Amino acid sequence: MTVKDLFGGMEGGGTKFVCAVGTGPDDLREEIRFATTAPDETLAQAVAFFKKHNVAAIGLAPFGPLDLDPASPRYGSITATPKPGWSEANILAAFRRAFDIPLAFDLDVNAAAIGEYIFIPANRGLDSLVYFTIGTGIGAGVIANGKIVHGLTHPEAGHIRLPHDLAKDPFPGNCPFHGDCFEGLANGPALEARWGQSGDSLPDNHPAWELEAGYIAAALANVILTISPRRIILGGGIMERRFLFPLIRAQVKELLNSYVASPVFAGELDDFIVPPALGKRSGVLGALAMAKILAKE
Amino acid sequence: MTVKDLFGGMEGGGTKFVCAVGTGPDDLREEIRFATTAPDETLAQAVAFFKKHNVAAIGLAPFGPLDLDPASPRYGSITATPKPGWSEANILAAFRRAFDIPLAFDLDVNAAAIGEYIFIPANRGLDSLVYFTIGTGIGAGVIANGKIVHGLTHPEAGHIRLPHDLAKDPFPGNCPFHGDCFEGLANGPALEARWGQSGDSLPDNHPAWELEAGYIAAALANVILTISPRRIILGGGIMERRFLFPLIRAQVKELLNSYVASPVFAGELDDFIVPPALGKRSGVLGALAMAKILAKE
């Protein structure tokens, strides 16, 4: 790798794809966004974009769930998704046919965690963090011991079960797999189904938000107790309502009830539960970081 | 370090201490067990045991919560524990006064995870596992990316919140910090308080066990979704009732509902949710492994 090498990053969401070329957040040469349509058409657009540039490696970070097991015949594909046409779409194979360069492959939210970890010096000094996306879907990427966490598959922390007080919130949850898991209670469609209007149109003082912050706080408290991360980053469409941050921080403190003996919990958690430092580019920049890391290996 | 070097391991539980000297599970030269009394007396017994042996390093693994931050003035101590006399007891400092050799320090359940990971070849091939102890207390040690997970403090996965159906189980939970968290609903004292007799005396066909297995399965499902470990080891007094394993495995599968796309979940989870391969010695052998690792650094 030489200093001049350029890298590509692709964040493939269920609604839109973002592709970028450059070396990092301060050196993005070109970026495009386009709607997620059928797999062939969408992937062809991404391939055409990267073909225009002389990139040393590309990081691919589509929505999941993904088959991340290099020993699996389906490695590189999206597995079971309700999104029409995309089940079994093999993203990595499509790129392998088009490019003879190193290709990194991981989940979109893992890329976002990697982007925040690699490109933000204040995060890089930590050895652990969690990046949650909270929007139409909910998911989390986990960094522990300085690397993204994979295992049997990848984390799917949007689907953990939380206490659900049916007297306070009779909404049964909308997850097709788990009903009232975290995502089923707190994603964008749940907000809309519960209150009869989209989250975007709910005013800041609507009771929806205290409930929403409560579910997010309950999930965060469980994640804190399970892996004790040094920072939690909350991205995704719902978290653009920034007034949610102090509500969530206060409820996390209440739930942990001084049990976690870290000086961090004596404060207001302003540096512990934070918005993404890379804004909406955590994912695409993380994909680019994946390409850089792979090229160096 | 030479081939002949011996190492010491101390697992300091709330009820008893176990100290051993050797090089691993097949080469334990001496082991003692004694009751946990006042800190001075108990630690003096442990120190006296290791003084008899020429050990190259000692691993210390007491019950927690612990201050594991080397930059903290309280590093090496137990922090807030309800156990009389032990709050603020500095275990590491007591050993530093007695020994001029490398001393490793971590939580008892982290040591158990390390012991199972380092000494069991079938685990060593994985890069992640979780060790839960389920008994008077509940806790978990997490290995991710090949190393024990620390962060702000250490994981305390016994205290995650789970769905609690008060109609099915009106017991309010006994955790002084969180009421009906996992530990508050499923530890040994909760079993006894709910059913009016000790867990040991409850027959295998008592309805207590289906409920107990349900809480354990709910916690495991959340941990699986949060970090996707390659194996979960269940130790501690309650897990000596081995008929709980199939009950737990079945409920974990039901809770995940085919969402986690790993071939492992097509099976019965017999190799995924397992008893400790080191039996009751996971902790003390893990402490010994901590000493070996530190001496090699």
Side-chain angles (χ1 to χ4, degrees):
Chain A
M1 195 181 78
T2 67
V3 179
K4 283 183 184 169
D5 275 339
L6 291 183
F7 300 94
M10 180 192 89
E11 180 188 14
T15 308
K16 66 173 188 304
F17 270 53
V18 186
C19 299
V21 165
T23 64
D26 303 324
D27 176 31
L28 273 189
R29 308 292 172 89
E30 194 180 347
E31 183 186 68
I32 55 162
R33 295 169 177 253
F34 47 90
T36 307
T37 58
D40 285 355
E41 183 186 20
T42 313
L43 296 173
Q45 277 184 272
V47 164
F49 171 75
F50 292 114
K51 281 282 184 194
K52 292 195 301 170
H53 298 274
N54 186 19
V55 288
I58 304 172
L60 304 169
F63 67 94
L66 299 180
D67 188 330
L68 293 179
D69 176 6
S72 160
R74 300 191 306 171
Y75 176 57
S77 337
I78 294 173
T79 56
T81 171
K83 189 157 179 74
W86 286 84
S87 271
E88 309 299 326
N90 196 319
I91 315 292
L92 183 59
F95 273 75
R96 283 219 192 289
R97 284 191 294 272
F99 295 96
D100 189 25
I101 55 174
L103 298 171
F105 182 69
D106 209 334
L107 190 66
D108 53 359
V109 73
N110 284 357
I114 292 168
E116 291 284 327
Y117 181 67
I118 296 292
F119 288 128
I120 303 301
N123 293 336
R124 193 67 190 268
L126 312 173
D127 61 357
S128 61
L129 63 77
V130 175
Y131 179 100
F132 264 100
T133 181
I134 300 173
T136 309
I138 299 184
V142 176
I143 305 267
N145 288 320
K147 284 168 62 180
I148 197 77
V149 170
H150 296 129
L152 275 186
T153 60
H154 48 75
E156 281 284 358
H159 293 268
I160 62 172
R161 253 77 162 212
L162 303 172
H164 176 199
D165 181 349
L166 283 160
K168 190 172 141 196
D169 174 25
F171 181 67
N174 66 13
C175 173
F177 290 90
H178 313 116
D180 64 350
C181 65
F182 176 29
E183 178 171 297
L185 289 172
N187 66 357
L191 268 176
E192 185 158 350
R194 186 186 286 116
W195 303 104
Q197 60 186 108
S198 80
D200 287 347
S201 70
L202 290 165
D204 292 3
N205 62 357
H206 194 283
W209 298 119
E210 190 69 30
L211 191 67
E212 179 74 11
Y215 289 128
I216 297 171
L220 266 52
N222 277 4
V223 168
I224 292 163
L225 291 163
T226 304
I227 45 167
S228 201
R230 290 190 182 272
R231 184 162 288 153
I232 297 179
I233 298 161
L234 302 181
I238 289 174
M239 295 314 303
E240 287 173 33
R241 305 296 282 264
R242 291 300 160 90
F243 65 88
L244 285 173
F245 280 86
L247 298 182
I248 292 166
R249 292 180 187 122
Q251 291 201 50
V252 165
K253 281 188 72 160
E254 200 177 310
L255 283 165
L256 295 177
N257 193 23
S258 306
Y259 186 70
V260 179
S262 162
V264 166
F265 288 97
E268 298 308 313
L269 311 186
D270 296 8
D271 282 336
F272 178 62
I273 297 172
V274 301
L278 297 171
K280 294 185 183 181
R281 290 202 171 85
S282 310
V284 71
L285 283 164
L288 198 149
M290 283 158 45
K292 289 180 83 163
I293 293 166
L294 184 65
K296 278 185 197 168
E297 275 174 359
Chain B
M1 196 184 77
T2 67
V3 179
K4 283 183 185 170
D5 274 339
L6 290 183
F7 300 93
M10 180 193 88
E11 180 188 13
T15 308
K16 65 173 189 305
F17 270 53
V18 186
C19 299
V21 165
T23 64
D26 303 323
D27 176 31
L28 274 187
R29 308 293 172 90
E30 195 181 346
E31 183 185 68
I32 55 162
R33 295 170 177 251
F34 47 91
T36 308
T37 58
D40 285 355
E41 184 186 20
T42 313
L43 296 173
Q45 278 184 273
V47 165
F49 171 74
F50 292 115
K51 282 283 184 192
K52 290 195 302 170
H53 297 273
N54 186 20
V55 287
I58 304 173
L60 304 168
F63 67 93
L66 299 181
D67 188 329
L68 293 180
D69 177 5
S72 160
R74 298 192 306 170
Y75 175 57
S77 351
I78 294 174
T79 56
T81 171
K83 189 157 178 74
W86 286 85
S87 272
E88 308 299 326
N90 196 317
I91 314 292
L92 183 59
F95 273 76
R96 283 219 193 289
R97 285 191 294 272
F99 295 95
D100 189 24
I101 55 174
L103 298 171
F105 182 69
D106 209 333
L107 191 66
D108 52 0
V109 73
N110 284 358
I114 292 168
E116 290 285 328
Y117 182 66
I118 296 292
F119 287 128
I120 303 300
N123 294 334
R124 193 65 190 269
L126 311 174
D127 61 356
S128 60
L129 63 77
V130 175
Y131 179 101
F132 264 102
T133 181
I134 300 173
T136 308
I138 299 183
V142 177
I143 304 269
N145 288 320
K147 283 168 63 181
I148 196 78
V149 170
H150 296 129
L152 275 185
T153 60
H154 49 73
E156 281 284 359
H159 293 267
I160 62 174
R161 252 74 162 215
L162 303 172
H164 177 199
D165 181 348
L166 283 160
K168 191 171 139 195
D169 174 25
F171 181 66
N174 66 15
C175 174
F177 290 90
H178 313 117
D180 64 350
C181 66
F182 177 29
E183 178 171 297
L185 289 172
N187 66 359
L191 267 177
E192 186 159 349
R194 186 186 286 116
W195 302 104
Q197 59 187 108
S198 80
D200 287 346
S201 71
L202 290 165
D204 292 4
N205 63 356
H206 193 284
W209 299 118
E210 191 69 30
L211 191 67
E212 180 74 12
Y215 289 128
I216 297 170
L220 265 51
N222 277 3
V223 168
I224 291 164
L225 290 162
T226 304
I227 45 167
S228 201
R230 290 190 182 272
R231 183 162 289 153
I232 297 179
I233 299 160
L234 302 180
I238 289 174
M239 295 314 302
E240 288 174 33
R241 304 296 283 262
R242 290 299 158 90
F243 66 88
L244 285 172
F245 279 86
L247 298 181
I248 293 166
R249 292 180 187 123
Q251 292 201 49
V252 165
K253 282 189 72 160
E254 200 178 310
L255 284 165
L256 295 177
N257 194 21
S258 306
Y259 187 71
V260 178
S262 162
V264 166
F265 287 97
E268 299 308 314
L269 311 186
D270 296 7
D271 282 336
F272 178 62
I273 297 172
V274 300
L278 296 171
K280 294 186 181 179
R281 291 202 171 85
S282 309
V284 69
L285 283 164
L288 197 149
M290 284 158 46
K292 287 180 83 164
I293 293 166
L294 184 65
K296 279 186 199 166
E297 273 174 359

